[in-house]
Amino acid sequence: MAVELQRPHVAAAACLLVVHYLAGVLSIPDPRQREALIQQEASMQTGGQVVLSNAEQRLDTLLFKMKQREVLRADFPPAMHFFKARALIRSSPIFSLLQKMPKGGALHVHDFSMADPEWLVKNATYRPHCYMCFTDSHSVRFIFSSQWPKPLPRCSPWNLLENLRAKTSNTTDLDDSILRNLTLFSDQDPESVYPSQDVIWNVFEQCFFALWGLVTYAPVFRDYYYQGLTEFYLDNVMYLELRALLPQIYELDGSTHDSAWTLKTYQDVTRRFTDDHPDFYGARIINTISRQVNIATMNGAVETAMKLQKDFPDIMAGFDLVGREDTGRPLWYYREALSLPAERGVTLPFFFHAGETDLEGTEVDQNLLDALLFNTSRIGHGFALPRHPVAKEISRKRGVALEVCPISNQVLMLVNDLRNHPAAALMSENHPMVISSDDPAMFGASGLSYDFYEAFVGFGGLSSHLGSLKQLATNSIRYSSLAPNQQEKLLALWQRKWDKFVSETAFEARRR
């Protein structure tokens, strides 16, 4: 699909501006030159050079009116913490429109935070042989077992949930208490519940420990992934790239499967989902490992990733390091392990998390430069990129897109008001980027629409328009790990859905 360009008058206007300055300063600047500057800036933003059809222009006019009303609200959602803003966003006509919009791909999503945690409570924990214990850090742990499980250190005796529910007068309260351990979302004041980055990251990690025994049980693992794909599909996402640890998956008798089995299971479930939903293009896996491991473990992880890349080229997209950047080891610490693929002439694309920090000048703050030195295909988050002009320029020239996750960056306390997110400035100059949702289940979100709302309304203000949305959607395909011919197929599929979305939405608008 060719992207059309417009505003050819911009270059001529810039020449006129230079002539004006050479000729001397007038008492009042020429309003035509002022308009030329405004148009020049507008053409430089994300979507600024996308030509809209007549139907798209009508929809764009409707969107602009919606946004004018939204921006004037005293309780402007992007200026609020997402936990407080969620209900307001859900009532927004812009959000309703974004839910219907085909958004292309979600390129930055983590394996065990992609599906609604309430599904885990209502589905997984009601299955037979599900045990739960309470930790001394006020969390929970789960395991499925055909026999009574062995005691877990720093945890209460195991409770068979079926028996516990039978003894409980109010199972709703029990389920709600379990749910609170599987998500960061809270109805209480988030600034009080999570007063610092250290506090919220500790709870964040505890949530993953809590759900681990549920999602790594083979039957739940398959169903959870299918449920996650379903939630993204229902949000009009057509393709997914999933960061996945590829852990050992266990069976009811305690036997376990290796990472190759886990990856093949992802492949099998993806094929089943695309068979059931032919208008969903598919998914690929980015193998991940914690950035806390020692060098020997990282060497082994890279070796495994290279073999998986060779054995499963269709589903395996590449490799990344995950976990809190501020307390993890920097990329440079693992430079020998990360150099193994290049030294051996083996293809293993990297998709590094980098710049998810506000610790300027530290070793961690150099991850952006190091990620580019290792030829990362994209940059996860890149929140700190504007503080690194060299990295920013390399990213722009090479077309190394940022995977921007607005809600994640706010909830994990890198930014308060999303109008001040660094990506707002990057959008104004059309820096390569995609919008994604990171860990939507942990944040009380789902799919991709909430993050698109925050980017479109918060980052873009009144300047962003339908062309911005259109380019962000196509960016998610162009910057994906898919081969060029696959990208073209997905773009064609997306274009058909986009045209239908535009015509139906514009028609509904005319009926009002």
Side-chain angles (χ1 to χ4, degrees), residues 10-25 33 36-37 40:
V10 169
C15 291
L16 284 174
L17 189 64
V18 172
V19 171
H20 162 70
Y21 283 121
L22 291 176
V25 179
Q33 293 166 350
L37 283 176
Q40 185 179 13

Side-chain angles (χ1 to χ4, degrees), residues 47 148 169 229 234 395 413 455 464 499:
W148 200 268
S169 58
L229 291 175
L234 292 175
S395 166
M413 303 181 70
S464 60
D499 291 342

Side-chain angles (χ1 to χ4, degrees), residues 12-65:
C15 291
L16 284 174
L17 189 64
V18 172
V19 171
H20 162 70
Y21 283 121
L22 291 176
V25 179
L26 300 176
S27 57
I28 299 178
D30 188 334
R32 292 172 300 175
Q33 293 166 350
R34 178 178 183 269
E35 180 62 23
L37 283 176
I38 293 171
Q39 291 296 325
Q40 185 179 13
E41 275 205 337
S43 72
M44 293 172 66
Q45 70 172 313
T46 298
Q49 297 191 36
V50 175
V51 174
L52 301 179
S53 67
N54 291 335
E56 288 172 331
Q57 289 177 29
R58 289 193 294 271
L59 179 54
D60 188 48
T61 300
L62 172 66
L63 258 178
F64 184 75
K65 291 177 181 177

